[in-house]
Amino acid sequence: MQHILGSYFRLLGAQVRSQLQYRASFILDVFSTAFFTITEFGALALVFTRFETIGGWTLAEVAFLYGLVELSFGLMDMFFAGFDPTFFGENIRKGSFDQLLLRPVPVIWQVLGSDLTLRRIGYVFLGLTIFVFAVHFSGLEWTLAKVVYLPFVIVGMVLFFGGLFMIGSSFTFWTVESVEAMNILTFGGSFLISYPMSIYQDWLRRIFTFVVPAIFLNYYPALYFLDKPDPFDFPFIAHFLAPVAGGIVFALALAFWKFGLGHYQSTGN
Amino acid sequence: MKPIITVENLSKTFQVRKHHQGTLSVLRNFFTRDSRVIHAVDNVSFSVNKGEVVGYLGPNGAGKSTTIKMLTGLLVPSGGTLNVNGFVPWKERQRYVSSIGAVFGQRTTLWWDLPVIESLHLLQYIYKVPEATFKQNLKEFERVLELNEFITSPVRSLSLGQRMRADLCAALLHTPALLFLDEPTIGLDVIAKERIRQFIKHVNDVRETTVLLTTHDLSDVQKLCGRILIIDQGKLLFDGALDTLQNRFGGKWQLVVDFAESYPNVEVIGAEVVRLEGIRVTYAFDRSKLSVSDLISRISALYNIRDISVQEPEIETTIRNIYEGKLLESPL
């Protein structure tokens, strides 16, 4: 395991050194992703100049959801960049994935080490800024339990979206044409859970509860952090399921990845 | 001695989906499962001893790459058995790949934006190469491959030949017992090709590394391979030395003779006159029936010879004949 982690960190180091060679492009990328987030959040803030609240949530409270997703998704996108289905599908198509199979380190760690999108640091930083703003203006009252739980919520979301990336990549073992459909699910999902679940129609919310358990990743933890009542009368434990939901999706993704890799090795491409 | 590679009745079949065309083709592709089976590798058996350099030849799509992918553990065979260096490649892939080196033609294992030397250090860690071995190997490869001129340059700035040299070095840093090369000289100029060949020869001579290489370049075969395997449409057509191939399946040899004077009749028993240009006469003969020296003594007994040259049949022709199925009805 020590050798595996050592290899992983060295692979990441190689990615960082590679990307820092293109300084101008790196800075531009950071600024453009940051700009994207600012305009998106700006548009959201504008809505609140007309309406005081959305579904009973103030701007600062929605910013809590938004900032937390942005922060977690940014972290995920940085560290799971190797599993970005678009990037991964390209490696399958070009055959460079085969090179990883020729090295004596588990493939999963090599894929994780095959890309690190440093420029996503803009995302992460802005998510953090919005989150801090939300914490300040929403009047959130910190308790020891909330401080301890927060990192678990972030890890839960990283695992959840990382899992979706892995599932998308695993599909490319069969066909690279599936990439777009999976991207819609991943990026669309992160967009949808940036807003309170109470604003969605019942059927959509049910999908996000029972099919893809995204409601537990962000919405229920936010209810807990902001001391808001639960409109859906779930048991109290529902507030603390973020790492469980993330963990389950990630475990399923791992199993599907193994299955896909087996298929790839028996069929080639 | 136990062979280092044992392949028995190895097969690989692929299901190829039929793709419909036209309107609604996407839906039809999705809902129907029309497929046909392709036998990429069909019941192939051979074994390779330690220290051999074996050339694996065949036209495009013959099954060369599929075989190499099975031998390197990338693909799982559909049938037959496979043992390389004591491992079943696809089952024990992770442990197995430490004992082999592989270079797949156009692809590089190196990090595109990093200097060559940094890639090599990274691979040193990944393959757990002890520092002393690494230094010793690098020193040797730097010398033989002349890596010094570009070892601190990023891989993206290297020429194809330089990149191939760097990749060969990377594939051999962990002192593998076997080296698999898929088209190692493709796209290179004559000088670069020669350098790669000399290096492969060096590694084989000095380290007794077993080499299996696929190629389209028959000079690679002539200069490197003691033995060749020929595959076409998934079936092994020939396994043996190049000479054997020439003798068994080759066209006729030619003897070009310049006579001291012009003779009205230059016929000789056992050879056929194929061209007559003044004093220069070209004979064609079957070397398995008549040796070169016998033919020369027959001719010189009758006529006055000034100059002589012997021409082997072109290996390209021989192999093309085999592909076209003209010569080989019963394999081996």
Side-chain angles (χ1 to χ4, degrees):
Chain A
M1 195 62 204
Q2 196 195 342
H3 175 252
I4 295 171
L5 287 179
S7 301
Y8 170 64
F9 285 118
R10 276 173 176 78
L11 289 171
L12 286 190
Q15 290 303 325
V16 173
R17 282 201 302 283
S18 297
Q19 287 174 39
L20 291 182
Q21 290 191 4
Y22 304 94
R23 208 156 297 167
S25 143
F26 170 70
I27 292 168
L28 276 175
D29 271 346
V30 168
F31 275 103
S32 62
T33 48
F35 181 74
F36 183 75
T37 308
I38 289 172
T39 32
E40 200 185 64
F41 185 70
L44 173 68
L46 273 178
V47 173
F48 279 86
T49 59
R50 294 290 304 262
F51 310 96
E52 288 278 295
T53 59
I54 291 179
W57 290 58
T58 64
L59 173 61
E61 287 169 339
V62 175
F64 183 90
L65 290 173
Y66 187 92
L68 204 51
V69 170
E70 205 71 352
L71 170 67
S72 312
F73 197 88
L75 281 173
M76 185 289 292
D77 206 4
M78 240 165 100
F79 288 100
F80 282 83
F83 279 107
D84 184 330
T86 315
F87 172 81
F88 186 83
E90 191 67 9
N91 281 345
I92 288 278
R93 214 176 47 75
K94 286 189 303 197
S96 35
F97 178 69
D98 287 349
Q99 294 296 332
L100 307 189
L101 290 171
L102 290 171
R103 294 189 197 134
V105 174
V107 194
I108 254 182
W109 290 95
Q110 291 191 66
V111 176
L112 284 172
S114 68
D115 197 10
L116 176 81
T117 41
L118 267 188
R119 57 179 185 277
R120 290 288 184 270
I121 211 124
Y123 257 133
V124 175
F125 190 70
L126 257 145
L128 192 67
T129 312
I130 293 169
F131 182 71
V132 169
F133 159 87
V135 165
H136 182 76
F137 288 100
S138 64
L140 187 149
E141 283 171 38
W142 286 105
T143 62
L144 181 63
K146 287 182 183 175
V147 173
V148 172
Y149 185 38
L150 183 63
F152 283 96
V153 175
I154 295 172
V155 168
M157 270 195 275
V158 169
L159 288 180
F160 177 81
F161 288 115
L164 291 190
F165 260 23
M166 282 179 83
I167 290 170
S169 288
S170 306
F171 273 120
T172 65
F173 285 129
W174 283 270
T175 166
V176 281
E177 290 160 23
S178 61
V179 165
E180 279 313 310
M182 202 57 207
N183 280 348
I184 289 169
L185 195 65
T186 312
F187 293 94
S190 83
F191 180 76
L192 284 173
I193 67 167
S194 304
Y195 296 91
M197 284 289 162
S198 47
I199 68 171
Y200 297 125
Q201 304 255 328
D202 280 349
W203 64 269
L204 188 59
R205 198 173 55 248
R206 286 207 186 95
I207 291 177
F208 276 113
T209 309
F210 300 109
V211 183
V212 188
I215 197 169
F216 303 109
L217 292 172
N218 196 22
Y219 180 70
Y220 268 97
L223 291 179
Y224 171 69
F225 280 96
L226 299 168
D227 297 303
K228 291 176 83 70
D230 174 8
F232 310 116
D233 291 324
F234 267 64
F236 190 65
I237 184 94
H239 297 96
F240 304 103
L241 293 180
V244 178
I248 289 173
V249 168
F250 192 72
L252 289 175
L254 271 179
F256 186 54
W257 161 266
K258 287 221 169 95
F259 178 65
L261 185 59
H263 171 84
Y264 176 77
Q265 288 195 276
S266 58
T267 56
N269 71 327
Chain B
M1 195 173 64
K2 209 170 160 268
I4 194 162
I5 302 179
T6 314
V7 173
E8 272 166 17
N9 306 321
L10 188 69
S11 295
K12 183 76 205 174
T13 51
F14 294 115
Q15 299 264 345
V16 178
R17 292 270 298 277
K18 265 188 204 146
H19 275 258
H20 298 282
Q21 306 221 320
T23 38
L24 297 181
S25 60
V26 176
L27 281 178
R28 285 180 71 192
N29 284 336
F30 191 82
F31 286 110
T32 57
R33 276 229 168 261
D34 295 352
S35 60
R36 61 205 166 91
V37 173
I38 289 184
H39 299 273
V41 173
D42 194 0
N43 230 355
V44 165
S45 304
F46 62 88
S47 62
V48 176
N49 287 323
K50 189 171 163 40
E52 276 194 277
V53 181
V54 178
Y56 199 50
L57 277 71
N60 289 325
K64 290 177 304 206
S65 292
T66 308
T67 313
I68 292 258
K69 279 184 173 178
M70 287 193 279
L71 287 170
T72 50
L74 298 182
L75 279 180
V76 183
S78 329
T81 57
L82 185 60
N83 192 297
V84 189
N85 205 22
F87 294 94
V88 178
W90 57 278
K91 264 192 193 154
E92 307 154 90
R93 187 180 54 77
Q94 220 162 286
R95 279 195 301 141
Y96 165 68
V97 291
S98 294
S99 71
I100 62 162
V103 181
F104 285 165
Q106 306 275 29
R107 293 170 209 149
T108 181
T109 192
L110 306 164
W111 283 261
W112 200 241
D113 288 315
L114 294 186
V116 176
I117 184 72
E118 280 195 46
S119 285
L120 298 180
H121 277 296
L122 207 50
L123 291 168
Q124 177 197 0
Y125 186 86
I126 287 175
Y127 282 92
K128 301 183 191 169
V129 184
E131 188 61 28
T133 317
F134 178 79
K135 277 198 175 132
Q136 196 189 329
N137 281 349
L138 187 61
K139 208 174 128 192
E140 179 186 338
F141 298 150
E142 267 184 326
R143 184 173 53 78
V144 189
L145 287 167
E146 294 169 54
L147 300 179
N148 283 322
E149 20 175 322
F150 55 84
I151 199 158
T152 53
S153 313
V155 175
R156 62 166 191 273
S157 70
L158 304 188
S159 71
L160 188 59
Q162 289 173 329
R163 210 220 71 213
M164 183 52 75
R165 277 142 72 194
D167 257 311
L168 278 171
C169 173
L172 288 159
L173 272 180
H174 53 290
T175 330
L178 287 118
L179 180 61
F180 294 96
L181 302 169
D182 196 6
E183 301 282 356
T185 58
I186 198 166
L188 302 183
D189 63 54
V190 184
I191 296 165
K193 275 183 181 175
E194 194 47 43
R195 201 178 235 154
I196 301 286
R197 284 180 200 133
Q198 274 169 11
F199 179 69
I200 297 170
K201 209 166 168 43
H202 168 87
V203 170
N204 176 253
D205 286 347
V206 176
R207 297 164 173 252
E208 286 195 356
T209 309
T210 311
V211 183
L212 187 90
L213 63 96
T214 73
T215 184
H216 276 112
D217 188 331
L218 294 164
S219 332
D220 288 350
V221 176
Q222 278 168 319
K223 289 185 180 148
L224 288 171
C225 307
R227 181 178 153 203
I228 57 174
L229 302 171
I230 297 179
I231 188 172
D232 192 20
Q233 296 179 346
K235 288 196 166 66
L236 196 63
L237 297 185
F238 178 82
D239 176 356
L242 193 57
D243 292 348
T244 319
L245 179 78
Q246 288 288 57
N247 288 342
R248 282 186 62 182
F249 308 112
K252 294 196 164 170
W253 284 56
Q254 294 195 331
L255 185 73
V256 182
V257 184
D258 285 354
F259 290 112
E261 54 194 283
S262 175
Y263 297 103
N265 180 11
V266 287
E267 295 294 330
V268 175
I269 298 157
E272 183 192 345
V273 177
V274 288
R275 209 175 303 134
L276 244 169
E277 304 156 280
I279 56 160
R280 172 167 294 183
V281 179
T282 307
Y283 296 95
F285 64 103
D286 187 345
R287 208 179 67 142
S288 59
K289 293 192 184 120
L290 181 63
S291 75
V292 179
S293 61
D294 281 346
L295 178 61
I296 293 172
S297 47
R298 278 186 200 179
I299 298 171
S300 60
L302 296 169
Y303 316 108
N304 205 353
I305 296 173
R306 197 171 70 194
D307 196 9
I308 268 178
S309 70
V310 183
Q311 288 173 354
E312 287 185 47
E314 296 274 308
I315 177 178
E316 277 94 345
T317 321
T318 312
I319 287 179
R320 200 179 312 124
N321 286 343
I322 287 187
Y323 291 160
E324 286 167 4
K326 283 182 183 157
L327 286 160
L328 202 68
E329 252 67 66
S330 56
L332 308 185

